[in-house]
């Protein structure tokens, strides 16, 4: 991969247990280019000195306004809900900017986020802040292994990054959603029924054969809808919790197709959606390091 196409490294920085997800809106009247420049100045060494990884992304339309030659054609925000035939709804709550900060402990994440928000205060206001954390290393709060379909890390850039030689090369399309779980209903199912809903065995994540047609595995089949790279975490407290879905892809369509399938637009609704529902939804373009750095205070 050329230097120009190097991705933001936090996309692939596995193993951090502490996370913060912030979505922000541009201050009324603020110039999109000025906001992008302020975000570009949040990069190294500020974040690496604090022992954290930072991934930054922009509403696709905002990035296109600031960097038209570096924008993926046709990429758009999550501005309309995905509504299934039975009324099940995945809301679009699009904002202008996302910051995903991760680190080895929440104290360093906390300090880094405070500094970032102070730097961005003249340009953007925080709309949503969620603290994420690893659950038993690789489980989500359903008790199943999360990210089984992820490619090996060495192959992940081929799925997650815009290919070289095209606008936005080295960048990625991010879908960020906050899903709240109905844990009481889920727990009441018992493990055998849970496995039918997910489409995998609970202890070792082996796909069921035959596969239940409305299982989560069947309704998000990456061989059918396209491959993505997931970086999900748990969030919340004992009474109110769920999953932060963090999905990266080289294109928007595979992400959108999976949501449509889960809502039942091309068949039966995903069985998992009876036990979890999205509260938020936003698409962001995560530019390459070089494309972002072009807006920074290089002279400094």
């Amino acid at each position: 991969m050329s230097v120009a196409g190097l991705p933001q490294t936090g996309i692939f920085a596995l193993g951090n247990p502490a996370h913060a997800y912030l979505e922000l809106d541009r201050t009324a009247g603020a110039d999109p280019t000025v906001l992008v420049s302020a975000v570009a100045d949040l990069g190294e060494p500020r974040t690496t000195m604090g022992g954290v990884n930072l991934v930054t992304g922009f509403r696709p339309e905002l990035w296109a306004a600031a960097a038209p030659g570096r924008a993926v054609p046709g990429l758009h925000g999550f501005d309309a809900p995905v509504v299934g035939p039975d009324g099940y709804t995945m809301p679009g709550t699009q904002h202008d900017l996302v910051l995903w900060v991760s680190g080895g402990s929440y104290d360093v994440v906390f300090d880094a986020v405070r500094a970032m928000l102070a730097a961005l205060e003249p340009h953007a206001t925080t709309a949503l802040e969620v603290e994420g954390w690893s659950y038993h290393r690789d489980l989500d709060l359903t008790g199943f292994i999360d990210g089984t379909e992820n490619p090996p890390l060495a192959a992940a850039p081929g799925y997650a990054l815009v290919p070289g030689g095209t606008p936005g090369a080295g960048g990625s399309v991010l879908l960020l959603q906050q899903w709240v779980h109905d844990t009481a209903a889920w727990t009441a199912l018992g493990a055998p029924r849970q496995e039918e809903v997910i489409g995998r065995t609970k202890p070792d994540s082996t796909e069921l054969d035959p596969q239940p047609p409305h299982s989560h595995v069947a309704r998000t089949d990456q061989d059918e809808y396209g491959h993505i790279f997931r970086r999900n975490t748990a969030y919340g407290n004992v009474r109110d919790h769920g999953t932060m879905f963090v999905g990266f892809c080289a294109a928007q369509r595979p992400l959108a197709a999976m949501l449509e399938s889960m809502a039942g637009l091309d068949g039966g609704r995903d069985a998992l959606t009876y036990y979890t529902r999205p509260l938020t939804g936003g698409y962001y373009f995560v530019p390459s390091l070089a494309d972002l750095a072009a807006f920074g205070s290089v002279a400094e």
Side-chain angles (χ1 to χ4, degrees), residues 21 23 78 88-91 93 95 127-132 175-181 232-237 240-246 276-282:
Y21 306 92
E23 293 179 274
F78 201 143
Y88 182 81
T89 300
M90 298 182 181
T93 57
H95 298 286
L128 181 68
E129 178 182 355
V130 179
E131 178 184 344
L175 171 60
L176 182 68
Q177 292 177 298
Q178 180 183 7
W179 290 74
V180 63
H181 293 192
N232 299 357
T233 70
Y235 79 88
N237 54 45
D240 182 13
H241 52 258
T243 297
M244 291 301 293
F245 178 85
V246 185
T276 183
R277 60 185 174 87
L279 303 177
T280 68

Side-chain angles (χ1 to χ4, degrees), residues 200-256:
R200 293 184 180 275
T201 58
K202 197 167 187 178
D204 58 7
S205 204
T206 301
E207 281 197 23
L208 300 185
D209 186 15
Q211 183 64 231
H214 296 158
S215 72
H216 184 57
V217 168
R219 302 310 296 155
T220 60
D221 185 354
Q222 295 194 37
D223 289 333
E224 179 176 353
Y225 298 107
H227 290 271
I228 67 173
F229 182 58
R230 291 169 46 160
R231 293 293 314 278
N232 299 357
T233 70
Y235 79 88
N237 54 45
V238 171
R239 293 179 298 171
D240 182 13
H241 52 258
T243 297
M244 291 301 293
F245 178 85
V246 185
F248 293 96
C249 192
Q252 186 170 32
R253 187 56 199 157
L255 296 162

Side-chain angles (χ1 to χ4, degrees), residues 112-292:
V113 168
R114 281 204 308 170
M116 293 174 194
L117 292 183
L120 294 177
E121 186 174 2
H123 315 290
T125 57
T126 303
L128 181 68
E129 178 182 355
V130 179
E131 178 184 344
W133 36 274
S134 297
Y135 181 66
H136 294 287
R137 190 174 65 84
D138 59 359
L139 303 184
D140 71 14
L141 293 179
T142 65
F144 284 74
I145 297 172
D146 198 7
T148 301
E149 288 294 311
N150 266 349
L153 192 57
Y159 298 115
L161 303 181
V162 177
T166 61
S172 187
V173 181
L174 165 64
L175 171 60
L176 182 68
Q177 292 177 298
Q178 180 183 7
W179 290 74
V180 63
H181 293 192
D182 185 346
T183 300
W186 177 253
T187 302
L189 290 180
R193 175 57 183 150
Q194 289 176 356
E195 291 182 337
E196 293 177 357
V197 170
I198 296 293
R200 293 184 180 275
T201 58
K202 197 167 187 178
D204 58 7
S205 204
T206 301
E207 281 197 23
L208 300 185
D209 186 15
Q211 183 64 231
H214 296 158
S215 72
H216 184 57
V217 168
R219 302 310 296 155
T220 60
D221 185 354
Q222 295 194 37
D223 289 333
E224 179 176 353
Y225 298 107
H227 290 271
I228 67 173
F229 182 58
R230 291 169 46 160
R231 293 293 314 278
N232 299 357
T233 70
Y235 79 88
N237 54 45
V238 171
R239 293 179 298 171
D240 182 13
H241 52 258
T243 297
M244 291 301 293
F245 178 85
V246 185
F248 293 96
C249 192
Q252 186 170 32
R253 187 56 199 157
L255 296 162
M258 288 182 188
L259 295 189
E260 292 167 0
S261 174
M262 291 178 70
L265 292 180
D266 65 349
R269 184 173 140 194
D270 187 330
L272 184 58
T273 61
Y274 291 93
Y275 307 96
T276 183
R277 60 185 174 87
L279 303 177
T280 68
Y283 287 110
Y284 297 93
F285 182 65
V286 179
S288 71
L289 289 174
D291 282 353
L292 187 59

